[in-house]
Amino acid sequence: MGRISWVDNVKTLAIFLVILGHFRGLDPTVKSLIYSFHIPVFLFTTGFLLTSRINAISFSDFLKKYILPYIAVYLLFSAAAILLYILNNIGDDMLSTVFKTIWGTLYGVHGSEKALIHSNGPLWYFPFLLTTLVAMYFIVRLPTWLGWGVALSYCTFSFLYSGVRLPWCLDIAGIGVLFCLIGYSFRTHYDVFKGVVESRWLLCLLPFLAILLMFLVGVNGTTNLNKAMFGASGFIYIINAVIGGLCLLIVAFNLPVTKFSQKISVNMMTIFCCHIYLVKALRTFPYPDDGVIKLFLMSYFAVFILMICLLFSVKFDPLLKRYVLRR
């Protein structure tokens, strides 16, 4: 497959939601709505973009193509985040500070405990994604019915587990596996699903799906995947993520092809790794009390941050590919 416009559109919409969702003071209802599906959407596209030959390539080739590049990027941006954190927290107990930041990065969790102790919390997604991808490598080698059974069992474990956070998000990666597998299956049966998603009747259903999503988000309450918070019900969390992802998919299929979305999609990794610094810089802005105006301003700033990060990534990504991701 060449470039697929709806994938670029989905990723552009999803990263905008990620940036907006990180604004402090965002209306709780809007935040809950965003957090109900924005990460599962990324996992869906990841599964969709996995090669159809994943069940035929060797594990060493899989590591070289999908795992080692992400590890390299994770370590690079973690090192930068650790350095910034240490420079902003210079004190008498520097040895302990250095140890905690490095240990947090190696443990690979960002939640209420064993958190990433530096200035770039969104990097938690990389260990989570890597654990998900490794699990996917083995699951797609199973018979279809058994693969779905394993994925659903792992997802159930992720909802039921309540112990100490496991390294590299092993405890919550079951959710990642499920949505990655959904995306992979979407690609496997692409001709059938594509015809359904881009149909006119499904577009007409979009307002009703959005209303249903808002209702169910209100029922389920606050969710946050990286903190292993799934609201009142893990089942409703999955339903909300599917509905929210479907809404975004319908919108993406009906948006025009643009160079802007392609650029965002191509440079997604660097944008994801850098945006939080600008979000933090804009947290001190004197936002008005009016909820609508406040949301408009935050949305405007989210687009602004997206543009700045894109400009940076256009210059930075060639260096990243040359010195870090070279094979």
Side-chain angles (χ1 to χ4, degrees), residues 76 263 298 301:
L76 173 66
K263 283 286 187 181
M298 288 182 173
F301 285 142

Side-chain angles (χ1 to χ4, degrees), residues 136-194:
M136 275 291 295
Y137 176 82
F138 294 103
I139 284 176
V140 298
R141 282 171 148 63
L142 301 173
T144 302
W145 65 271
L146 184 56
W148 276 101
V150 171
L152 290 170
S153 298
Y154 192 3
C155 185
T156 301
F157 165 80
S158 294
F159 288 132
L160 297 179
Y161 179 79
S162 59
V164 64
R165 293 298 305 275
L166 300 180
W168 282 62
C169 300
L170 280 164
D171 50 337
I172 60 172
I175 291 93
V177 168
L178 178 62
F179 283 97
C180 209
L181 187 58
I182 291 173
Y184 183 78
S185 299
F186 188 91
R187 177 179 180 136
T188 304
H189 306 284
Y190 186 54
D191 291 338
V192 176
F193 288 131
K194 181 175 180 289

Side-chain angles (χ1 to χ4, degrees), residues 285-302:
F285 186 85
Y287 295 99
D289 294 329
D290 185 278
V292 176
I293 298 177
K294 187 177 184 181
L295 178 59
F296 174 80
L297 277 175
M298 288 182 173
S299 299
Y300 174 81
F301 285 142

Side-chain angles (χ1 to χ4, degrees), residues 29 74 106 139 143 159 161 202 216 229 246 263 270 296 302:
T29 302
Y74 174 65
L106 295 178
I139 284 176
F159 288 132
Y161 179 79
L202 199 57
L216 290 176
M229 296 170 56
L246 181 58
K263 283 286 187 181
T270 300
F296 174 80

